[in-house]
Structure formats: structure tokens, C-alpha cells
Amino acid sequence: MATQDGSEEVIMETEAKPKEVEPLCENVEKGDPGNVSHTDGGLATTQDSSISNGDGADDKQEMVDLKIIWNKIKYDLKIPIDSTGAKLKERIHSLTGLPPAMQKVMYKGLLPEDKTLREIKITNGAKIMVVGSTINDVLAVNTPKEVIQQEVKAEENKKEPLCRQKQHRKVLDKGKPDDIMPAVKGTKERLPTVPLSGMYNKSGGKVRLTFKLEQDQLWIGTKERTEKVPMGSIKNVVTEPIEGHEDYHMMAFQLGPTEASQYWVYWVPAQFVDAIKDTVLGKWQYF
């Protein structure tokens, strides 16, 4: 319209348009997604924020704080408590650069790879000991070990049972010590938190074994003295059940290149035999 009155009418219609949007806002407040407009920046931003909050909640997991000790260096590590031992090794690899296959991970004995940290009962602040070295060092040390172990097994097959041999018979004939730790046949347990005690050595004296995982040492204690032996220096571990008392074993730690260096221990509870061998030699010895 050309008149001034007509122009005023156009202005009035323009001012009235925002009122038509008000019902749309009411629908959004009621949570009607069908009326959300992607052209409205304010509404789209509100919707995105809601989605982001949902994702963050899904990522929450129960965590555990650990102290990783390797090569006299301490590392702090936070990891989900439902992670397996194998996953822990991967995280240790990222911290230390030590490949999982070269790691010997200790927590009350050798840490199993197939169980979760929750199943192992690891708690906040737990100290995890890691032993391992480079592939070249391990190959240099372990190649002789493999040869020695093969030779020992071959000799064992040729000989009569160890417990029937005269040198061992004189100790075994003393009978089972009164203060020996109880044994359970047919089971496997982790190393106890206290020293293994009450056993005999080759001379018939009392001996105890203490596994110092932090130092990677085996302490062999008698009444006279305590020998602190680096586990890496032990070439082999020989065991055999004692006839008539199969819930106990006789065990030798080979401290040098020949059988003459074997240190014999008698009346070792059978449930700890595998844990002792794994702790002293470690699965990594074959790599």
C-alpha cells in the first residue's frame, strides 16, 4: 500500500512474527525432539551437550594405583582393576620399554597373565616388582642354562631315584622334621609371605628359604649364616617327590655350572614347588 497507514501495517506484521516462535520453545522445554530445529544454534548446542555428558559417564572404570619397581627405579601407574596380568605387562612396557616377553613380574610370587588384578587381590599402593633385561643379555645368560638343564635331565633319566641314593638317604632317614610346614599334595599355591622353614640341608642341619623379590635374591639361612644368592645366578632347580611322603619334595638349587654346586634342601612342601621354580628361574628364561 502506498499510503502511510499502509506502511504502518507492514511494520506491525514484522513485529508480530517472533510471537509465532514461542510455542516451539515450549515444545523444546517439554523434551519433544520432533520440534528441535538444526537452524537454531541455541537448541542444537543444548542437545550436543547432553550427548557429551552421556559418553563421559560410560568411560568410568574402577582404577587402582600401583608402584612399579624395575631396575631400582619406581614408576607410578594407574590401571583398571579388571585388567589382566598380560595387560599390566603391556602398560609396564610403555613405562619402561621392557618387552612383555622379557618381564618377570612379581606380586606375592610370579604374577599370572590370565587373571585380573581384582582376582589377584591387588590393592591401591601395591608394589609390583619387575625383573628383566635386554634380549641380548638374556640370550647370553640363558643359552648355557638350557644346555645345563638338558644335561641334568639326561643324567636323571639314567640314574635311580634321587631319594634312594646314599648321599640323600642319610638325610631322609632322619625322618620328617617336627616343625616342618604343612604340605598339601596335588595343589599349587603361591609363595607364602613368611620364609619356608623347618627343612633340612645336605648336612642334616635346619634351613629356611626366604624369597627377597625386591632384591631378586634367594636367602638360604642356617643357624650359622645366611647366604644371599642372586636368582639370576641360579642355573637350574631340580626337584623330586620323596618316596612314601609324596606331599614333600627334595630340591636342589644349582649355583654353578656343574652338579657339584647343587645346594640340596629336603622336605619342601609340594604345593610351593612350582612357585619356587617359577620365581627363581622365571618363564622368561626360555627367550
Side-chain angles (χ1 to χ4, degrees):
M1 295 176 64
T3 63
Q4 185 174 357
D5 292 339
S7 300
E8 291 175 353
E9 288 178 357
V10 172
I11 293 170
M12 290 297 291
E13 291 175 0
T14 302
E15 294 174 350
K17 285 181 179 180
K19 296 180 180 180
E20 296 176 359
V21 182
E22 292 178 0
L24 183 62
C25 295
E26 293 176 358
N27 287 335
V28 173
E29 292 175 358
K30 294 177 181 178
D32 184 0
N35 290 325
V36 177
S37 173
H38 291 289
T39 60
D40 189 328
L43 295 178
T45 301
T46 303
Q47 192 76 353
D48 291 341
S49 175
S50 175
I51 293 173
S52 175
N53 289 336
D55 290 341
D58 291 340
D59 289 338
K60 291 182 178 178
Q61 299 185 62
E62 185 178 353
M63 308 293 285
V64 62
D65 293 309
L66 306 177
K67 298 287 186 183
I68 308 297
I69 303 175
W70 173 67
N71 203 20
K72 299 182 180 180
I73 302 175
K74 294 183 180 180
Y75 302 85
D76 292 321
L77 174 62
K78 179 174 285 188
I79 187 171
I81 196 169
D82 291 312
S83 300
T84 62
K87 184 64 178 178
L88 175 60
K89 283 191 170 185
E90 292 177 8
R91 295 294 300 276
I92 292 173
H93 180 204
S94 65
L95 280 176
T96 64
L98 187 65
M102 310 301 296
Q103 298 175 20
K104 184 163 67 171
V105 181
M106 305 286 192
Y107 180 74
K108 297 180 180 179
L110 196 67
L111 187 139
E113 294 188 2
D114 57 341
K115 292 188 178 181
T116 66
L117 306 186
R118 188 190 299 275
E119 292 172 329
I120 303 169
K121 302 187 185 303
I122 289 182
T123 57
N124 273 320
K127 291 183 179 180
I128 308 297
M129 313 306 302
V130 181
V131 179
S133 53
T134 64
I135 182 69
N136 291 333
D137 290 341
V138 172
L139 286 174
V141 171
N142 291 316
T143 299
K145 281 189 179 181
E146 288 186 350
V147 174
I148 291 170
Q149 289 170 18
Q150 292 173 0
E151 292 176 351
V152 168
K153 288 180 180 178
E155 288 298 319
E156 287 176 351
N157 292 334
K158 298 177 184 178
K159 297 177 180 179
E160 62 180 340
L162 294 170
C163 58
R164 296 181 187 175
Q165 295 177 18
K166 184 178 180 180
Q167 59 175 327
H168 304 300
R169 197 70 258 165
K170 64 181 182 180
V171 179
L172 295 174
D173 284 346
K174 295 180 65 174
K176 186 169 64 174
D178 295 333
D179 57 346
I180 193 67
M181 296 181 70
V184 183
K185 183 181 177 181
T187 63
K188 296 180 181 180
E189 296 183 12
R190 292 187 175 196
L191 292 177
T193 55
V194 297
L196 289 172
S197 60
M199 301 167 291
Y200 289 140
N201 59 17
K202 197 170 182 178
S203 63
K206 286 296 183 68
V207 64
R208 65 183 178 277
L209 302 177
T210 306
F211 297 87
K212 292 290 185 177
L213 302 182
E214 290 190 24
Q215 293 95 340
D216 195 32
Q217 292 179 344
L218 168 61
W219 289 13
I220 303 175
T222 63
K223 184 178 180 181
E224 293 78 19
R225 63 181 182 276
T226 298
E227 297 287 345
K228 300 179 180 180
V229 182
M231 292 188 194
S233 68
I234 299 175
K235 306 300 182 183
N236 195 30
V237 178
V238 177
T239 66
E240 182 183 287
I242 299 174
E243 282 187 340
H245 301 275
E246 282 75 12
D247 48 345
Y248 288 94
H249 280 229
M250 49 191 294
M251 175 178 290
F253 300 97
Q254 187 166 328
L255 308 181
T258 67
E259 291 185 5
S261 65
Q262 289 176 336
Y263 188 97
W264 283 96
V265 179
Y266 303 86
W267 302 101
V268 178
Q271 68 268 27
F272 300 128
V273 168
D274 285 345
I276 292 172
K277 295 177 73 173
D278 285 345
T279 300
V280 172
L281 299 176
K283 294 179 181 180
W284 57 272
Q285 66 173 316
Y286 299 110
F287 292 92

